[in-house]
Amino acid sequence: MSDNTVASASPAPLTLLGLGSMGAALARTWLAAGHRLTIWNRSPGRTAELAAGARVAATAAEAVAASPLVVTCLLDDASVRAALAEADLTGKDLVDLTTSTPAESRTRAAWANERGARFLDGGIMAVPPMIGVPEAGGYVFYSGSREVFDAHRATLAVPVATRYVGTDPGFAALHDVALLSAMTAMFAGARHAAALVADAGIDQKEFGTLVADWLTAMAPATAAYAGGPVPDDPTSAAVAEAGDAALLRTAEEQGVGTALLSASAGAMNGV
C-alpha cells in the first residue's frame, strides 16, 4: 500500500488550484523540483510569492486549461465545485486534495467523470512544514483511478510520499478522516489530562513529557481496534469498571468536565 517519495525523472507540467498554507507548500516543492506550474487562488494576493516561478492564471478555468494534470487543494468540497464550475475538464486528470467525506469524494468522482475527466482523491496526512521533507514522515492517501495514480505517481510523490488505498474514490477520505478522528480524540485526552493537574502545583512541562511518553508506550495497543493483534490484558471487567469510575470522580474533584470521559466509555462499550 505504501510508496516512497520519489523524484520525478522529467518534471511534468501541472496546475494547482488553492494557495492556502498547504497549497503554497505544495507549490514551492513542485517549483523547486523543476515542474512547470500554473497556479490560481481565489485571493490573488496569495500568488505573489510564487509569481516568479509559476504561471499565474487569471481564472480557475484558465489554470485548468494550461495543464493535463489539475490538483485542487481548497477549503472544502463546495469550494472545489465553485472553482471548477466554468472549467473545461475534458481529457483532464483531476486530483482533489481537499478534505472531504467519503460520500463527497464519490460524488465528486462521478461529477468529474461526467465532465470528461479522470479522478483521483487524496487525503493529506501531513501539515505544511512536513511538505518537501521526506524524513518528516508525511504522506497522502490516494484512491480512485489507478490509471491516474500510476500516470502521475512521480509528480505526486515530489512533495510527500504516496499511499494508494483502492479504486473506491471514497477510501482516501475515509482513511484520512478516520486517522484524524483518532488524533483529535488523542489531543482531547491530552488536554483533559493537563486540565486535571493545572492547579495542583505540578510542573506542567515535566507533566507534558510524561503524557507524551505514556501515549507513545500505549500506541501499539491501538492496532487491536482495527483488527490487529489483541494484546494480552489481565485486567478484569470489574477492575476496569472501577478504574473508569475513578477517572470520573477525579475529574469531578478537580473541577474538570466529564463529557470526554463519558463519551469515551460509551465508545469503548460499543454505544
Side-chain angles (χ1 to χ4, degrees):
M1 182 173 71
S2 177
D3 304 296
N4 294 326
T5 301
V6 296
S8 178
S10 54
L14 73 153
T15 284
L16 174 64
L17 307 182
L19 293 171
S21 296
M22 180 60 73
L26 294 170
R28 284 191 290 267
T29 309
W30 275 315
L31 287 171
H35 289 266
R36 191 168 78 250
L37 181 67
T38 300
I39 57 176
W40 173 86
N41 194 68
R42 188 174 300 278
S43 301
R46 291 284 184 90
T47 64
E49 67 169 300
L50 301 168
R55 175 193 172 192
V56 181
T59 66
E62 178 186 322
V64 170
S67 312
L69 172 61
V70 178
V71 178
T72 55
C73 188
L74 298 165
L75 177 63
D76 52 23
D77 188 64
S79 300
V80 176
R81 184 168 59 249
L84 296 176
E86 303 301 323
D88 182 3
L89 297 180
T90 305
K92 303 295 181 179
D93 286 342
L94 178 60
V95 178
D96 187 10
L97 300 182
T98 302
T99 300
S100 62
T101 71
E104 288 170 345
S105 295
R106 294 179 184 118
T107 298
R108 181 63 52 234
W111 176 88
N113 294 160
E114 290 170 358
R115 296 182 61 179
R118 299 190 299 180
F119 183 84
L120 187 68
D121 194 58
I124 304 176
M125 303 309 301
V127 293
M130 298 168 72
I131 302 301
V133 186
E135 60 271 22
Y139 56 88
V140 176
F141 287 120
Y142 288 102
S143 66
S145 172
R146 180 77 207 205
E147 292 77 15
V148 173
F149 178 75
D150 288 341
H152 302 292
R153 177 189 295 192
T155 298
L156 296 175
V158 167
V160 65
T162 62
R163 297 192 179 201
Y164 183 79
V165 291
T167 57
D168 184 329
F171 274 12
L174 185 57
H175 279 75
D176 178 31
V177 173
L179 292 188
L180 291 177
S181 296
M183 180 193 73
T184 298
M186 178 188 71
F187 282 127
R191 288 194 295 270
H192 179 88
L196 288 176
V197 303
D199 300 320
I202 293 174
D203 184 283
Q204 296 292 293
K205 185 175 181 180
E206 181 179 349
F207 182 76
T209 299
L210 292 175
V211 171
D213 289 345
W214 175 245
L215 291 178
T216 299
M218 292 295 99
T222 62
Y225 295 104
V230 179
D232 294 330
D233 185 359
T235 305
S236 69
V239 170
E241 184 177 348
D244 288 343
L247 300 184
L248 290 168
R249 293 198 306 276
T250 301
E252 291 167 352
E253 288 178 7
Q254 298 299 108
V256 176
T258 60
L260 176 66
L261 296 177
S262 298
S264 177
M268 292 283 285
N269 293 318
V271 175

